[in-house]
Amino acid sequence: MKAFRLDELEAERAANDGAYLQFVKERNMSVGLYALNAGDLDPQQPHREDEVYFVVSGRASITVGTETTQVGRGSVVYVPAGAPHKFHHITEDLRVMVVFSPPES
């Protein structure tokens, strides 16, 4: 078993000066914590893997392909492999768990 505390993951991510911290990588999936602060621009490009976002905290909009929706704590968004997607209009610091399947390469 692997178990994690969100506050410890956030501290590790911040200590490494990165917006993304991968903390699980297995044969069929990987999981990471993604952070964007209010007003930030999301630099993501489409991924080769399917992904699921679970919003832990914050508020923003996300556009996947041509569809846009508002997200906040508790929101879950599926993004198919290859789909253009971005968080935008980030009004509260955003912390998102990201699950990639297969694992992000």
Side-chain angles (χ1 to χ4, degrees):
M1 175 173 80
K2 296 178 183 179
F4 305 91
R5 289 179 41 114
L6 187 58
D7 58 343
E8 293 172 352
L9 294 171
E10 175 63 13
E12 183 179 348
R13 184 206 57 79
N16 289 314
D17 292 325
Y20 185 72
L21 171 70
Q22 184 181 83
F23 59 92
V24 172
K25 186 166 186 177
E26 298 295 335
R27 186 172 55 90
N28 293 317
M29 62 175 280
S30 61
V31 183
L33 178 64
Y34 189 43
L36 293 166
N37 293 325
D40 281 356
L41 297 177
D42 184 0
Q44 290 191 85
Q45 299 295 318
H47 303 283
R48 293 185 304 226
E49 307 82 12
D50 287 337
E51 55 187 315
V52 173
Y53 290 117
F54 172 71
V55 179
V56 175
S57 62
R59 291 197 163 283
S61 295
I62 184 170
T63 299
V64 179
T66 60
E67 296 180 272
T68 299
T69 191
Q70 299 284 318
V71 294
R73 183 175 163 226
S75 297
V76 178
V77 178
Y78 167 70
V79 179
H85 59 286
K86 296 241 188 251
F87 289 100
H88 52 93
H89 296 96
I90 302 166
T91 58
E92 294 176 17
D93 293 353
L94 197 60
R95 300 298 179 267
V96 181
M97 290 286 209
V98 186
V99 179
F100 286 99
S101 181
E104 184 181 34
S105 43

